[in-house]
Amino acid sequence: MNIRRLAESPLVFEDHKVQGREMYERSGCTVVHLLLEENGVLPPVSQADDTFIYVLSGEGKVRIGNDSYTAEPNMIIRCPVDVPHGAENTRKEPFSLLIVKLPTRTP
């Protein structure tokens, strides 16, 4: 068994109000915990992998392409391959997300 605590996970992204820590990486699957403080913005990025976002706590906006969605706890949002996606904390309390990237399967 392998256990990794958030505080012990490597920092893979840090901006003024956004912090990303890699929780898991193996065989092309990556799980990153993102914490967006008040007014924190994760700029849009495109992935060549299947990606989804799971909202742990807080509330904010998630942008997929030109669309924007209100994201709240226990919501999962799929991000299509090669479509830019980003997030923004629109509240005072922290906005906590898991970003999961999986290898794209070919038919």
Side-chain angles (χ1 to χ4, degrees):
M1 180 164 62
N2 186 3
I3 297 172
R4 179 179 274 177
R5 290 178 173 79
L6 180 61
E8 299 164 355
S9 297
L11 194 61
V12 293
F13 180 85
E14 187 169 33
D15 198 356
H16 180 59
K17 296 189 176 234
V18 181
Q19 194 175 73
R21 293 188 176 274
E22 185 177 87
M23 298 293 298
Y24 179 86
E25 196 288 317
R26 183 171 176 195
S27 302
C29 175
T30 304
V31 179
V32 174
H33 177 270
L34 284 179
L35 183 64
L36 291 85
E37 297 294 336
E38 181 180 6
N39 299 317
V41 176
L42 179 69
V45 296
S46 296
Q47 302 288 336
D49 298 310
D50 288 325
T51 303
F52 67 85
I53 299 168
Y54 181 77
V55 182
L56 294 168
S57 64
E59 187 174 303
K61 295 285 182 190
V62 172
R63 289 184 177 75
I64 310 287
N66 294 324
D67 298 321
S68 180
Y69 305 92
T70 298
E72 53 193 39
N74 301 314
M75 180 181 281
I76 194 165
I77 303 160
R78 183 179 173 271
C79 307
V81 173
D82 295 328
V83 175
H85 53 276
E88 175 183 1
N89 185 351
T90 57
R91 306 285 180 155
K92 289 187 182 219
E93 66 272 358
F95 186 34
S96 180
L97 312 168
L98 283 182
I99 309 295
V100 180
K101 296 188 288 183
L102 302 164
T104 302
R105 293 186 181 177
T106 54

